Amino acid sequence: MLLNVCIAKLHRATVTDADLNYVGSITIGQEMLDAAGLVPGQMVQITNVSNAVLWRTYILAGKQGQIVLNGPPARLFQKGDKVVILGEAWVEAKDAAKMGGPTVVFFTGEGETFSEMNAIKEVKKSWRPE
């Protein structure tokens, strides 16, 4: 049996832009994807800390520090909002039991630019299936 599990969490990243006219998805800086072990095309859930909106979409790789909500969620997520992004994966039940939780990426949340706010402060890695 396969289980849908959270394999990674980007904790309180800052939205750098919202583009209503884009077809859809979320653009995430490649350095954040690498730290979390996420890949372009992977499904994620995004929660807006400001208003509790939850959105599910797929990842596009972006430039350093970028968190851009594209398409319809641009009405629900605005530049400067804090978000929690949860990376999903389908995993064998026996492997899910070994995981012990997702890899979590923490950000500084401080600075004058979005690149500074979205600078990686700490990564807590967890075991995950190959």
Side-chain angles (χ1 to χ4, degrees):
M1 170 175 57
L2 294 175
L3 300 176
N4 187 22
V5 299
C6 177
I7 62 165
K9 177 181 181 182
L10 301 177
H11 187 72
R12 296 182 64 89
T14 303
V15 174
T16 60
D17 204 357
D19 184 356
L20 183 60
N21 296 313
Y22 193 86
V23 177
S25 69
I26 182 170
T27 304
I28 301 174
Q30 186 64 54
E31 82 287 1
M32 295 182 229
L33 297 179
D34 292 343
L38 298 172
V39 295
Q42 186 170 2
M43 297 301 293
V44 291
Q45 291 186 31
I46 308 113
T47 303
N48 189 328
V49 174
S50 302
N51 61 18
V53 165
L54 175 69
W55 194 265
R56 186 170 186 257
T57 191
Y58 62 94
I59 298 169
L60 293 176
K63 297 176 185 170
Q64 184 170 347
Q66 268 191 321
I67 297 285
V68 182
L69 277 293
N70 301 307
R75 295 211 181 269
L76 305 169
F77 297 81
Q78 301 298 310
K79 187 185 281 190
D81 286 352
K82 297 290 184 189
V83 293
V84 175
I85 302 168
L86 305 174
E88 302 178 21
W90 289 96
V91 175
E92 290 286 344
K94 64 180 175 46
D95 289 332
K98 298 178 199 172
M99 287 180 62
T103 292
V104 182
V105 179
F106 297 93
F107 301 94
T108 61
E110 300 173 0
E112 295 182 20
T113 68
F114 290 122
S115 289
E116 291 171 339
M117 287 183 232
N118 284 336
I120 296 170
K121 178 179 171 181
E122 180 184 5
V123 178
K124 290 188 177 178
K125 292 214 178 245
S126 290
W127 179 87
R128 83 169 51 166
E130 294 293 320

